[in-house]
Amino acid sequence: MRIVDARVIVTCPGRNFVTLKVVTEDGVYGLGDATLNGRELAVASYLTDHIVPLLIGRDARAIEDTWQYLYKGAYWRRGPVTMSAIAAVDTALWDIKGKVANLPVYQLLGGASREAVRVYAHANGLDVDQAVKAVAHQLDLGYTAIRVQSGIPGIRSTYGVGRDGRPYEPAEKGGVSEHRWSTEAYLTFVPRLFERIRSEFGDDLDLLHDVHHRLTPIEAARAGKALEPYHLFWMEDPTPAEQQSAFRLIRQHTVTPIAVGEVFNSIFDCQQLIQEQLIDYIRTTVVHAGGISHLRKIAALAELHQVRTGSHGATDLSPVCMAAALHFDLSVHNFGIQEHMPHTAETDTVFPHEYTYQSGFMHPGESPGLGVDIDEALAAQYPYDPAYLPVNRRMDGTMHDW
Ligand code: CS2
Ligand code: MG
């Protein structure tokens, strides 16, 4: 089953997405997400200029061989651009395999290990009162696991919190904005936030929190320790993880569970973290970590060390990635939880999909393949519109430490 066409579709239905569409000689096609937030066109070029010419004429059924060919054959390995491009090819080929086999992809991955995929929602507020209201709103929608972020007194803008009453969207249009950061203000504030949330909502709800790599290891240890009375489900990205051994220091001081990995793109980024059990949840996702094939290898390594998965699922990961993530989540035994930040109606119209949400759980559906499509004519009506993640500086203007 030869590949006869592969093309990259860049569209911006409210935010930018890059999608690869691979077509076989039988007319079957598959989709893969290739969106790298704020650096979208680099992946689009990597695919169009360097990968598509290699795909034409290849056997669409040879998923693992194609993965190895693109990873090892390029000589230049790893990195977010390369791995997002390889992920898009891999995801599209799994979609094709499912369609040809007339089975949803999760069945090809070993079948369902659970009835549905537990997801967590976001509750964000400019202050604690707003955060409390946001948690109440997500509880009304049926979520039983909620990530809570709040503006910090004394800090003008905080990453992860929406502005002007709008839902939080990671990328900002109109140039790169800069945020200011005070570790001391944050460390004093964050236990108070969770004290209030627990006193309002009790102990049953699962609470999560994202530190967005803002702390040193010893500061992260302090945060984890101070948060112990509020028994978080996880504390995410407490410190950057280029130096994986840094997490030993955090582990020595706190039993707050740790989730890491949304910026990782390879099993080698988390090898030590997993093998030394320095984390509890690995957040690598389909689009940025080499696709379904590579993510399964990460999950298999994690399973040996009692580490669960907790894939990234922010709005910059397209519905194609969300569909693929849900097939992976449903099948993999050591699944933990999946992030769910619903897309806008505009995005959902460009990417019609079978996956559904109900009462805190999602399901990828039973359609053959991934169960997601792209309306190319509609996508063409939304041209690329540059947007960037904000830059973070300390109060004195220094780029933040880590
Ligand atoms: C966040 C994201 O969802 C998360 O956990 O960390 O907002 C992340 O920063 C963006 O998806 C980056 O593109
Ligand atoms: Mg995060």
Side-chain angles (χ1 to χ4, degrees), residues 282-299:
I282 180 70
R283 280 179 52 71
T284 41
T285 196
V286 174
V287 55
H288 300 135
I292 293 172
S293 299
H294 196 62
L295 208 54
R296 291 180 82 205
K297 292 180 186 178
I298 295 175

Side-chain angles (χ1 to χ4, degrees), residues 6-160:
R7 56 183 179 273
V8 175
I9 303 155
V10 180
T11 182
C12 185
R15 72 155 354 278
N16 293 308
F17 295 109
V18 179
T19 309
L20 178 71
K21 183 168 185 171
V22 178
V23 187
T24 71
E25 58 191 336
D26 305 324
V28 181
Y29 65 87
L31 299 178
D33 183 21
T35 310
L36 183 61
N37 204 8
R39 298 290 185 271
E40 296 86 1
L41 299 184
V43 188
S45 160
Y46 193 109
L47 282 166
T48 305
D49 299 325
H50 304 293
I51 284 191
V52 166
L54 305 178
L55 291 180
I56 307 302
R58 286 188 70 81
D59 184 350
R61 295 169 298 188
I63 300 179
E64 182 66 20
D65 182 65
T66 300
W67 195 98
Q68 300 291 342
Y69 177 78
L70 295 175
Y71 182 80
K72 294 177 179 164
Y75 187 70
W76 310 106
R77 300 184 185 193
R78 304 164 62 183
V81 175
T82 298
M83 297 304 278
S84 299
I86 294 176
V89 176
D90 183 81
T91 309
L93 296 185
W94 278 105
D95 193 17
I96 289 172
K97 198 177 274 298
K99 287 175 177 173
V100 171
N102 202 28
L103 288 170
V105 166
Y106 79 82
Q107 292 291 6
L108 304 178
L109 303 179
S113 283
R114 55 196 51 79
E115 291 167 7
V117 173
R118 190 178 186 217
V119 293
Y120 71 89
H122 285 207
N124 310 315
L126 288 176
D127 58 24
V128 178
D129 287 338
Q130 280 190 17
V132 167
K133 280 196 192 123
V135 171
H137 176 64
Q138 299 299 353
L139 282 171
D140 285 347
L141 296 175
Y143 293 95
T144 57
I146 301 179
R147 178 185 109 154
V148 187
Q149 308 292 132
S150 164
I152 301 161
I155 302 184
R156 202 165 47 82
S157 48
T158 308
Y159 186 66

Side-chain angles (χ1 to χ4, degrees), residues 37 120 122 147 159 168 170 210 212 236-237 262 283 312-317 339 341 389:
N37 204 8
Y120 71 89
H122 285 207
R147 178 185 109 154
Y159 186 66
Y168 159 60
D210 194 346
H212 288 114
E236 177 181 334
D237 288 337
E262 67 179 46
R283 280 179 52 71
H312 187 200
T315 41
D316 50 294
L317 289 80
E339 182 175 13
M341 250 178 107
L389 286 159

Side-chain angles (χ1 to χ4, degrees), residues 114 329 377 401:
R114 55 196 51 79
D329 297 337
D401 300 19

